[in-house]
Each structure stands twice: as structure tokens, then as C-alpha cells.
Amino acid sequence: MHSSRPALLTDHYELTMVSAALRDGTADRHCVFEVFARRLPAGRRYGVVAGTTRLVELLADFRFDEADVTFLRETGVVDESTAEWLSGYRFGGDIDGYAEGELYFPGSPILTVSGTFAECVLLETLTLSVLNHDSAIAAAAARMVTAARGRTLIEMGARRANEEAAVAAARASYLAGFGYTSNLAAGKRYRIPTAGTAAHAFTLLHDDEPTAFASQVATQGKSTTLLVDTYDIAQGIRNAIAVAGPDLRAIRIDSGDLAVLAQHSRELLDSLGATETKIIVSGDLDEYAIAALAAEPVDMYGAGTAVVTGSGAPTAGLVYKLVEVDGRSVVKRSEHKATVGGRKVAVRRHKPSGTATEEVVVSQGVPEPQPGDRALQRRYVANGEPQPLPSLTESREHLRQCLISIPWEGLKLSAGDPTIPVTVVPADRPEGER
């Protein structure tokens, strides 16, 4: 089942501003808001845009129905004139932004929302809720994919997240390159391949391990994966092969020293003739743990808690700021939170080899074209109407290509500066005067 209507995913202060703007006559001023990150999470070298398609889909249901308006009126959140305005609310502006799967860096204008002040300011909480979550998950998952070096990853973190966040996390992980999710709701909603196996409870249910394995194989066939570490791993492997035969698809190890256990398990499987039986490991894996297993005979990784919590960075730290009013650039000058005014246009520059070298962002203008430039923004919503959206598969491929294009040091897991420098040219400064 899809998430509930998002209309009241609106902050109290947003409605305070709308009410005041309606009263003083500024609600209809044409405004431009931008979403960007001031900085990346500590140690990260890039961010990943994710959730934009979800946001556009949620926008279709962003309405205030009678029950919503009654609640806001009765609780004193809005006055009568604002309540009447909300009853007819429908976003009628434009939304432009970076493609899903695009990399971003501090200062990248990853989403631009334009329209009247009132209609745009109401989207701040919804926009940041979706993009901050999904982008954080996608960035963590992309690092895990890099660490896995071509081996398959399964997202299995639904038990460690809110029920709707779990579905969104599965989508963001697949976008980032995971091969499967164990979340069936995500599989149904987004057509993501699903995979999974029995838990320790199933083994404990039966009188002994061979009986449990025999039951699973009888139901799922030899293409199943048997969890072998409920009791003794070596005996568990022997029992698995005795029951399923040497053509068992896979075993899973969920605890212990995974590097040592993977080596011993491979040797034992080979000695039993199960040379094609795969080894899947899981158990609080993050990108560093996955990288540490790179030299071990592991065929697949299961990641749960770390991926659905952004592996230490549960939010992308994106902000939603007003940058233009009636064509006039506006800026915030607060210490450590200053903004660059004006609507931005961004391109990424590349060497002839295809390696990205710089991102140029120009306010109230366009970057001077150069060979190797790639425009970063596209139209998502025009006059309130959603435009054709890329498929999840297309967005997944886009990210894969982006990761190929950045300098190799950008894929390191160690702390470092953002991989691509962003040059932001203010509205009152020509691009050549940096």
C-alpha cells in the first residue's frame, strides 16, 4: 500500500508565512527556491541525488482536503482566509533539478522550485523530507557498491527503519546499484528484484538442523539459501550439503569473524564437492566491513542497518532556500549560512577522456559553453504538470555512469575533499571573473 496523502507533511511555520503573506499581499510574488547542500557529510567525497521521482509523484496528492482544513482551522493554525485558500491549493509552478542518480557537491543546485511564494514555500518540508532521506541512503549504498567490487548486494534493513522509510530505502539502494531487496513492498511498488532466506527461528522451530533444512529445500528447491550458523557453522554446512546435495545454490553466514569463516566455509564446501555453492555474508555490514572482505571468498553481501540509516549520515543535510523574488536576486547573510542569490544554471565539465573536472554554476545566467560540458538540470514539473520521468532502471544506469566519470580518488572510502570542485558565479559577476 502506498504512503498516506502528504498534504499535512507541512510545517507549522510554513503556514504561518503563508497566512501573513496572504494578508500583506506578497503571497503571489514570483519566487525561486533552491535545494542544495552547504557541505557533504564528514568524510564523504560526493553526494547522490535520489528521491526526485518520488517527490514528483507525491506532489500529485499534495492537497488539503476538508478534514485537513478543518483541523487547521479548529486548532488555530490558520485563519479563515488562509483556510479558504488552502482548500483550493494546487501547485502550479515549475520544478527543475538534477537527474536522479546524478552526483552532487556543496553548492550544487540540485532542485529548483519556482512559482508564487505561497505555493512554493508550502513544499519545503515535503521536499526536504524526501530528498534528505533518499539521497542519504543512496550515497551510503553507492559507497557499499564500490566496496563490493562487482559482487552483489542485498538490501535487508526493513526491520531497522520506519515502514515507509524502509520502502524508500530499498528503492534508493537499488538506484545505487544493489541487486536485490528483501522488502516485498518495495519489490511490488518499484519492481525491484527480491531475495531472502529463512531466519534462525526456522531452524530453532525444528527438532534438529537437518530437518529444518530438508523442509526448506522441499519447499524452495535447491536454489534456496540455507542459514548455517544457528549452531556450529562447519556442521551446518555439512548438514546443508547432505540434505540439498552439492548443487545447493548458497549458504548464508550471519555472525562471527566473517573473513575467517568465509575462508573455512569455502574450503569445506569445496571438499564436499559443492564448488558452485555461493557464500552470502550478513550482519551489520557497512562499506568498511564490505571492503575488508574484498579478498575473501564471499559471493554476496547482505546489508541492513547501515544502509537504511545512511551509514552514519542519516540525512544528506540539504536545505531549501529562497534565492529570487520577482526576478531580483535575494541572499541570506547569516554567519556560516550565507547563500548565493539568483536562480542557478549548472554544467559539469569533462576532459576529452570523459573524466569530470569541475562543476560550474551561474546565477541568473548560463555558463559559457565549453567542449565536454554536460547540462545537469532537467524539467520535472511544468505549470504544475508532471513531465515524463526516467525509470528507476534508467536512473540506476545514470549513477553508474556518473561514478565512472569522476576521478578515481573520488571512490575512496577514506575521508577527503569533495571530488569535483563547484564554482558558483554570483548574479553580479561574469563567469570569467572568478
Side-chain angles (χ1 to χ4, degrees):
M1 147 176 214
H2 285 266
S3 57
S4 58
R5 289 174 54 257
L8 283 184
L9 190 58
T10 305
D11 222 64
H12 193 128
Y13 87 94
E14 291 163 11
L15 287 176
T16 297
M17 290 188 286
V18 168
S19 296
L22 287 170
R23 182 178 291 271
D24 71 16
T26 58
D28 288 332
R29 285 187 172 178
H30 188 274
C31 292
V32 177
F33 288 81
E34 286 178 347
V35 176
F36 60 92
R38 293 191 176 94
R39 63 192 67 85
L40 297 177
R44 300 289 176 86
R45 297 172 183 242
Y46 61 83
V48 176
V49 177
T52 320
T53 296
R54 285 210 312 119
L55 174 63
V56 173
E57 291 171 345
L58 287 170
L59 191 61
D61 291 327
F62 194 78
R63 306 281 190 277
F64 294 82
D65 65 17
E66 184 178 350
D68 296 333
V69 175
T70 297
F71 163 76
L72 294 171
R73 183 190 292 114
E74 291 179 348
T75 54
V77 175
V78 299
D79 57 23
E80 192 60 40
S81 61
T82 305
E84 183 177 348
W85 183 86
L86 290 173
S87 296
Y89 176 82
R90 179 183 183 279
F91 179 71
D94 299 332
I95 297 179
D96 300 270
Y98 285 27
E100 273 208 284
E102 187 62 70
L103 303 184
Y104 71 86
F105 305 93
S108 296
I110 70 173
L111 197 77
T112 304
V113 181
S114 57
T116 68
F117 174 80
E119 68 180 343
C120 293
V121 77
L122 280 184
L123 299 185
E124 179 175 358
T125 298
L126 175 65
T127 298
L128 293 182
S129 174
V130 172
L131 296 185
N132 266 318
H133 174 268
D134 289 23
S135 296
I137 306 308
R143 285 160 58 86
M144 294 180 193
V145 170
T146 295
R149 299 186 183 183
R151 298 170 183 174
T152 301
L153 289 131
I154 307 172
E155 182 281 315
M156 48 197 336
R159 296 177 181 86
R160 301 292 187 269
N162 168 275
E163 67 275 13
E164 278 299 322
V167 178
R171 181 187 183 278
S173 300
Y174 186 70
L175 166 69
F178 273 49
Y180 300 91
T181 179
S182 64
N183 189 312
L184 294 177
K188 177 185 177 184
R189 192 179 302 180
Y190 299 115
R191 292 296 182 252
I192 300 171
T194 61
T197 185
H200 295 292
F202 187 72
T203 301
L204 295 170
L205 169 69
H206 293 81
D207 294 336
D208 54 51
E209 193 172 57
T211 303
F213 288 169
S215 174
Q216 186 174 333
V217 171
T219 304
Q220 302 292 327
K222 295 182 180 183
S223 62
T224 193
T225 298
L226 297 177
L227 181 62
V228 296
D229 66 344
T230 303
Y231 304 115
D232 175 80
I233 291 179
Q235 187 56 49
I237 292 173
R238 293 188 183 94
N239 289 337
I241 301 307
V243 168
D247 50 350
L248 172 67
R249 174 179 174 271
I251 62 166
R252 180 163 73 98
I253 305 170
D254 190 49
S255 56
D257 187 330
L258 296 178
V260 172
L261 293 174
Q263 291 180 24
H264 291 172
S265 297
R266 183 73 272 157
E267 292 169 1
L268 181 53
L269 285 167
D270 290 349
S271 72
L272 296 170
T275 58
E276 298 301 317
T277 298
K278 307 298 184 185
I279 297 175
I280 302 172
V281 297
S282 57
D284 294 325
L285 295 179
D286 60 12
E287 61 265 49
Y288 303 105
I290 291 169
L293 293 168
E296 310 305 337
V298 174
D299 299 291
M300 193 177 297
Y301 304 94
T305 302
V307 69
V308 300
T309 58
S311 195
T315 176
L318 303 174
V319 294
Y320 184 98
K321 298 299 177 184
L322 179 63
V323 297
E324 193 173 287
V325 177
D326 287 336
R328 174 176 55 89
S329 171
V330 297
V331 298
K332 176 180 177 180
R333 302 192 186 279
S334 306
E335 188 174 0
H336 305 305
K337 291 187 175 182
T339 59
V340 176
R343 183 191 185 103
K344 319 291 189 307
V345 174
V347 299
R348 191 159 299 150
R349 301 211 151 130
H350 300 77
K351 296 178 180 178
S353 64
T355 301
T357 59
E358 182 186 20
E359 188 167 309
V360 176
V361 178
V362 174
S363 174
Q364 294 189 317
V366 295
E368 195 172 308
Q370 291 188 14
D373 280 3
R374 178 167 64 83
L376 294 173
Q377 289 140 317
R378 51 150 294 164
R379 180 60 51 94
Y380 280 100
V381 176
N383 298 316
E385 295 299 323
Q387 302 302 290
L389 297 170
S391 69
L392 182 55
T393 299
E394 290 169 335
S395 298
R396 175 182 164 97
E397 175 61 19
H398 185 82
L399 174 55
R400 192 183 73 83
Q401 293 295 333
C402 286
L403 290 172
I404 291 172
S405 75
I406 62 175
W408 67 268
E409 60 266 22
L411 299 179
K412 289 182 177 179
L413 299 181
S414 57
D417 293 331
T419 312
I420 305 296
V422 177
T423 301
V424 181
V425 182
D428 57 351
R429 216 161 123 208
E431 185 184 350
E433 299 178 10
R434 297 182 191 170

Short mmCIF file of all heavy atoms in Angstrom, two decimals, residues 132-159:
data_model
loop_
_atom_site.label_atom_id
_atom_site.label_comp_id
_atom_site.label_asym_id
_atom_site.label_seq_id
_atom_site.Cartn_x
_atom_site.Cartn_y
_atom_site.Cartn_z
N ASN A 132 16.29 14.51 1.51
CA ASN A 132 17.31 14.28 2.53
C ASN A 132 17.42 12.80 2.89
O ASN A 132 18.52 12.28 3.06
CB ASN A 132 16.99 15.09 3.79
CG ASN A 132 17.70 16.42 3.80
OD1 ASN A 132 18.86 16.53 3.44
ND2 ASN A 132 16.99 17.47 4.21
N HIS A 133 16.29 12.12 2.97
CA HIS A 133 16.32 10.70 3.29
C HIS A 133 16.89 9.88 2.15
O HIS A 133 17.87 9.14 2.30
CB HIS A 133 14.92 10.20 3.63
CG HIS A 133 14.85 8.71 3.84
ND1 HIS A 133 14.57 7.83 2.81
CD2 HIS A 133 15.08 7.94 4.93
CE1 HIS A 133 14.61 6.60 3.26
NE2 HIS A 133 14.91 6.63 4.55
N ASP A 134 16.28 10.00 0.98
CA ASP A 134 16.67 9.13 -0.14
C ASP A 134 18.10 9.39 -0.59
O ASP A 134 18.83 8.45 -0.94
CB ASP A 134 15.70 9.32 -1.30
CG ASP A 134 14.32 8.75 -1.02
OD1 ASP A 134 13.97 8.60 0.17
OD2 ASP A 134 13.58 8.45 -1.97
N SER A 135 18.52 10.65 -0.59
CA SER A 135 19.88 10.95 -1.02
C SER A 135 20.91 10.41 -0.03
O SER A 135 21.99 9.96 -0.43
CB SER A 135 20.05 12.47 -1.20
OG SER A 135 19.21 12.95 -2.22
N ALA A 136 20.59 10.45 1.25
CA ALA A 136 21.50 9.89 2.25
C ALA A 136 21.66 8.39 2.06
O ALA A 136 22.78 7.86 2.12
CB ALA A 136 20.98 10.19 3.66
N ILE A 137 20.55 7.69 1.83
CA ILE A 137 20.61 6.24 1.63
C ILE A 137 21.37 5.90 0.36
O ILE A 137 22.22 5.01 0.34
CB ILE A 137 19.20 5.64 1.57
CG1 ILE A 137 18.37 6.02 2.79
CG2 ILE A 137 19.28 4.11 1.43
CD1 ILE A 137 19.01 5.75 4.12
N ALA A 138 21.08 6.63 -0.72
CA ALA A 138 21.72 6.34 -2.00
C ALA A 138 23.23 6.55 -1.93
O ALA A 138 24.00 5.78 -2.51
CB ALA A 138 21.11 7.20 -3.10
N ALA A 139 23.67 7.59 -1.23
CA ALA A 139 25.11 7.85 -1.13
C ALA A 139 25.80 6.73 -0.34
O ALA A 139 26.88 6.26 -0.74
CB ALA A 139 25.35 9.20 -0.46
N ALA A 140 25.19 6.31 0.76
CA ALA A 140 25.77 5.21 1.54
C ALA A 140 25.79 3.93 0.73
O ALA A 140 26.79 3.19 0.71
CB ALA A 140 24.98 5.01 2.83
N ALA A 141 24.69 3.65 0.04
CA ALA A 141 24.61 2.43 -0.76
C ALA A 141 25.62 2.44 -1.90
O ALA A 141 26.22 1.40 -2.22
CB ALA A 141 23.19 2.27 -1.31
N ALA A 142 25.82 3.60 -2.53
CA ALA A 142 26.79 3.69 -3.62
C ALA A 142 28.19 3.37 -3.13
O ALA A 142 28.99 2.72 -3.83
CB ALA A 142 26.75 5.08 -4.25
N ARG A 143 28.53 3.81 -1.93
CA ARG A 143 29.84 3.51 -1.36
C ARG A 143 29.97 2.00 -1.09
O ARG A 143 31.04 1.41 -1.28
CB ARG A 143 30.05 4.30 -0.07
CG ARG A 143 30.34 5.77 -0.33
CD ARG A 143 30.08 6.64 0.89
NE ARG A 143 30.84 6.27 2.06
CZ ARG A 143 32.08 6.69 2.33
NH1 ARG A 143 32.71 7.49 1.47
NH2 ARG A 143 32.69 6.33 3.45
N MET A 144 28.89 1.37 -0.68
CA MET A 144 28.91 -0.08 -0.46
C MET A 144 29.08 -0.83 -1.77
O MET A 144 29.80 -1.83 -1.85
CB MET A 144 27.64 -0.52 0.26
CG MET A 144 27.50 0.02 1.66
SD MET A 144 25.98 -0.53 2.48
CE MET A 144 25.97 0.57 3.90
N VAL A 145 28.42 -0.34 -2.82
CA VAL A 145 28.55 -0.96 -4.13
C VAL A 145 30.00 -0.88 -4.60
O VAL A 145 30.56 -1.84 -5.14
CB VAL A 145 27.59 -0.30 -5.14
CG1 VAL A 145 27.90 -0.76 -6.56
CG2 VAL A 145 26.14 -0.62 -4.78
N THR A 146 30.62 0.27 -4.41
CA THR A 146 32.03 0.42 -4.79
C THR A 146 32.89 -0.55 -3.99
O THR A 146 33.78 -1.21 -4.54
CB THR A 146 32.49 1.86 -4.53
OG1 THR A 146 31.77 2.75 -5.39
CG2 THR A 146 33.98 2.01 -4.81
N ALA A 147 32.63 -0.65 -2.68
CA ALA A 147 33.42 -1.53 -1.82
C ALA A 147 33.25 -2.99 -2.21
O ALA A 147 34.17 -3.81 -2.03
CB ALA A 147 33.04 -1.32 -0.36
N ALA A 148 32.08 -3.35 -2.74
CA ALA A 148 31.79 -4.75 -3.08
C ALA A 148 32.52 -5.20 -4.34
O ALA A 148 32.59 -6.40 -4.61
CB ALA A 148 30.29 -4.95 -3.25
N ARG A 149 33.03 -4.28 -5.13
CA ARG A 149 33.84 -4.61 -6.31
C ARG A 149 33.15 -5.59 -7.26
O ARG A 149 33.72 -6.60 -7.67
CB ARG A 149 35.19 -5.16 -5.88
CG ARG A 149 36.02 -4.21 -5.05
CD ARG A 149 37.41 -4.76 -4.78
NE ARG A 149 38.18 -3.86 -3.93
CZ ARG A 149 39.44 -4.08 -3.58
NH1 ARG A 149 40.08 -5.16 -4.02
NH2 ARG A 149 40.08 -3.22 -2.80
N GLY A 150 31.93 -5.30 -7.57
CA GLY A 150 31.22 -6.11 -8.55
C GLY A 150 30.42 -7.26 -7.97
O GLY A 150 29.66 -7.91 -8.69
N ARG A 151 30.57 -7.52 -6.69
CA ARG A 151 29.77 -8.58 -6.06
C ARG A 151 28.39 -8.03 -5.71
O ARG A 151 28.22 -6.84 -5.46
CB ARG A 151 30.47 -9.09 -4.80
CG ARG A 151 31.83 -9.74 -5.09
CD ARG A 151 32.59 -10.00 -3.82
NE ARG A 151 33.92 -10.55 -4.08
CZ ARG A 151 34.84 -10.76 -3.15
NH1 ARG A 151 34.58 -10.45 -1.89
NH2 ARG A 151 36.02 -11.24 -3.47
N THR A 152 27.43 -8.91 -5.68
CA THR A 152 26.04 -8.49 -5.49
C THR A 152 25.74 -8.14 -4.04
O THR A 152 26.24 -8.77 -3.11
CB THR A 152 25.09 -9.62 -5.95
OG1 THR A 152 25.36 -9.91 -7.33
CG2 THR A 152 23.64 -9.21 -5.81
N LEU A 153 24.89 -7.13 -3.87
CA LEU A 153 24.42 -6.72 -2.54
C LEU A 153 22.91 -6.88 -2.44
O LEU A 153 22.19 -6.62 -3.40
CB LEU A 153 24.78 -5.27 -2.27
CG LEU A 153 26.26 -4.99 -2.04
CD1 LEU A 153 26.71 -3.83 -2.89
CD2 LEU A 153 26.52 -4.68 -0.58
N ILE A 154 22.46 -7.31 -1.27
CA ILE A 154 21.04 -7.41 -0.96
C ILE A 154 20.72 -6.40 0.13
O ILE A 154 21.38 -6.38 1.17
CB ILE A 154 20.64 -8.82 -0.46
CG1 ILE A 154 21.10 -9.91 -1.42
CG2 ILE A 154 19.14 -8.90 -0.22
CD1 ILE A 154 20.90 -11.31 -0.85
N GLU A 155 19.71 -5.56 -0.09
CA GLU A 155 19.25 -4.65 0.95
C GLU A 155 18.29 -5.41 1.84
O GLU A 155 17.32 -5.98 1.38
CB GLU A 155 18.56 -3.43 0.31
CG GLU A 155 18.09 -2.38 1.29
CD GLU A 155 16.78 -2.75 1.98
OE1 GLU A 155 15.85 -3.21 1.28
OE2 GLU A 155 16.69 -2.59 3.21
N MET A 156 18.56 -5.41 3.16
CA MET A 156 17.71 -6.18 4.08
C MET A 156 17.54 -5.44 5.40
O MET A 156 17.65 -6.01 6.48
CB MET A 156 18.31 -7.59 4.29
CG MET A 156 19.77 -7.59 4.59
SD MET A 156 20.65 -9.19 4.38
CE MET A 156 19.42 -10.42 4.54
N GLY A 157 17.23 -4.12 5.31
CA GLY A 157 17.17 -3.30 6.51
C GLY A 157 15.79 -2.88 6.96
O GLY A 157 15.66 -1.98 7.79
N ALA A 158 14.74 -3.51 6.45
CA ALA A 158 13.38 -3.06 6.77
C ALA A 158 13.08 -3.08 8.26
O ALA A 158 12.31 -2.26 8.75
CB ALA A 158 12.36 -3.92 6.02
N ARG A 159 13.69 -3.99 8.99
CA ARG A 159 13.42 -4.09 10.43
C ARG A 159 14.11 -2.98 11.22
O ARG A 159 13.96 -2.90 12.43
CB ARG A 159 13.88 -5.45 10.95
CG ARG A 159 13.13 -6.63 10.36
CD ARG A 159 13.71 -7.94 10.88
NE ARG A 159 13.04 -9.09 10.31
CZ ARG A 159 13.36 -9.65 9.15
NH1 ARG A 159 14.36 -9.14 8.44
NH2 ARG A 159 12.71 -10.69 8.70
#
